[in-house]
Amino acid sequence: MAPPAPRGPLSAALLRLLMRRRLATLDHVDAAATGLLARTADALTDADLQLSLFLLYELHYGGIEEVPDSWEWEPKLLAARQSLERAFELALRNAVPHSEPDHDVPSALADLIARAEPPRLGAFIEHDATVDQVREVLACRSISALHEADAHSWTIPRLHGAAKSALVEIQSERYGGGQPGRMHATTFARCLRGAGLDDRYGAYADHVPTAVYTSANVMSLFGLQRRLRGASVGHLAAYESTWSLPVGACANGMRRLGLGDDVIAYFDEHARADAGLEHLATHDLAGALAEEEPDLAADILFGAAACLFIDGRLWSGVLSRFRAGDPALLQPLD
Ligand SMILES: [Fe+2]
């Protein structure tokens, strides 16, 4: 991706370091990270922390223009990432309820999802949203949807047996089942173009609210650490419940607004695929993992609760802005 604009002293120092390719300036990043961690009131909403963490994670995905590929495993950058991750994970564990399931994990996941208050953005898109508001939602979604499935793929080699097999089956569907044109990231890119938006990764990096980065970072935090494999599985189970942004309602909204076939098709195809994926993720994946590794049951529920909380906050925040007559994005779309 192209380097975005910084959102505070830490991301500014980090971007300067990455662009100049001089690790000697890492001291500035360390100092900025220490300063930020000392003063931040909420690691989940801190724009500077979340963007910095996102940039460090991006080195493990497609990378950032002009940053050498070898810096993916630069120890000093990994150390900076770890400091931010500690604060992030602690804030997450404090923010969401977590407990041992008192019955089987698939039922506990269903209860967790049913008890959570869903954001009403799907209904708003279905009945009330304008074309401009839909385009803003698509721009917000672009950060994670153009990388769809990648973060949860880190978890594959950390699983065994039935759980691993189920995760591969889920990811295969999300990656198009051998047909590149059916990859969810590809159909989302078509959806963006159909809505007159830019489908390059990170095109709206400077537009989206910080909650978009928090949502993406949760997946990378869980995916990139073996000890958090249970949370990654739980996150995927909640993510595939389509709880936060019901795709069927969104498809109806796109039709109401007369948006093109490529826009509607993305949501229609998800509505078809997601019902099967939800069952697979909840039962065949999360249920199997809890049976194989009972000690991970609490973390499976933690990951699901984190997804519901963070994505719920993202889309509720977008809806609140729309209801107040405000844009969801920090700057207007072209
Ligand atoms: Fe998908």
Side-chain angles (χ1 to χ4, degrees):
M1 67 183 288
R7 296 194 180 195
L10 175 58
S11 47
L14 183 59
L15 281 159
R16 270 198 306 275
L17 164 73
L18 293 172
M19 293 305 104
R20 287 182 193 161
R21 303 187 186 192
R22 283 173 46 208
L23 280 169
T25 56
L26 193 77
D27 290 347
H28 301 294
V29 174
D30 283 343
T34 304
L36 185 148
L37 291 171
R39 73 173 179 277
T40 186
D42 183 358
L44 304 182
T45 56
D46 189 298
D48 199 18
L49 185 152
Q50 291 297 333
L51 178 62
S52 300
L53 197 47
F54 179 82
L55 293 170
L56 290 165
Y57 283 142
E58 186 55 31
L59 301 179
H60 297 285
Y61 294 98
I64 301 166
E65 283 175 18
E66 298 181 36
V67 181
D69 286 349
S70 60
W71 279 25
E72 178 182 2
W73 299 108
E74 167 51 48
K76 291 176 179 174
L77 291 174
L78 295 179
R81 194 188 96 194
Q82 197 172 36
S83 300
L84 302 181
E85 280 180 322
R86 274 201 207 101
F88 184 32
E89 184 182 346
L90 184 64
L92 263 182
R93 290 195 183 271
N94 286 334
V96 303
H98 50 284
S99 57
E100 296 288 338
D102 49 12
H103 42 317
D104 67 287
V105 160
S107 303
L109 283 170
D111 286 351
L112 194 64
I113 293 165
R115 278 202 311 271
E117 178 78 22
R120 304 289 301 156
L121 184 60
F124 182 82
I125 289 174
E126 186 169 20
H127 301 295
D128 303 310
T130 64
V131 170
D132 286 346
Q133 287 170 331
V134 165
R135 294 175 84 237
E136 291 207 348
V137 169
L138 296 176
C140 285
R141 199 168 168 81
S142 66
I143 296 290
S144 57
L146 289 173
H147 264 189
E148 171 152 357
D150 290 349
H152 295 112
S153 291
W154 299 119
T155 305
I156 294 172
R158 289 119 197 261
L159 302 183
H160 306 279
K164 183 178 211 163
S165 175
L167 179 52
V168 169
E169 186 175 355
I170 292 165
Q171 296 298 79
S172 174
E173 167 67 31
R174 301 172 87 194
Y175 284 129
Q179 299 176 56
R182 284 190 56 241
M183 283 176 67
H184 291 190
T186 305
T187 57
F188 186 75
R190 277 202 295 272
C191 170
L192 284 175
R193 293 194 298 274
L197 293 166
D198 192 335
D199 68 345
R200 285 173 301 174
Y201 187 67
Y204 299 106
D206 294 336
H207 296 70
V208 299
T210 296
V212 166
Y213 288 117
T214 311
S215 172
N217 287 340
V218 170
M219 289 187 266
S220 296
L221 171 74
F222 293 163
L224 280 164
Q225 303 193 58
R226 185 165 55 85
R227 71 182 173 84
L228 295 174
R229 62 197 180 281
S232 180
V233 162
H235 184 283
L236 180 56
Y239 190 86
E240 287 300 339
S241 74
T242 73
W243 170 90
S244 61
L245 198 59
V247 282
C250 291
N252 292 338
M254 309 296 161
R255 264 187 214 95
R256 173 181 63 78
L257 291 166
L259 290 163
D261 288 347
D262 285 344
V263 179
I264 296 165
Y266 171 78
F267 289 94
D268 269 346
E269 285 171 23
H270 265 74
R272 175 194 58 74
D274 283 351
L277 292 184
E278 180 178 354
H279 185 86
L280 262 175
T282 306
H283 289 77
D284 300 29
L285 171 59
L289 181 61
E291 278 185 23
E292 287 170 22
E293 299 191 76
D295 289 351
L296 295 182
D299 251 12
I300 294 172
L301 295 186
F302 162 61
C307 175
L308 298 175
F309 178 75
I310 294 296
D311 286 8
R313 196 146 82 164
L314 162 61
W315 298 118
S316 295
V318 168
L319 180 57
S320 297
R321 301 275 303 171
F322 288 163
R323 288 228 162 106
D326 294 325
L329 300 179
L330 306 184
Q331 53 181 272
L333 296 166
D334 296 332

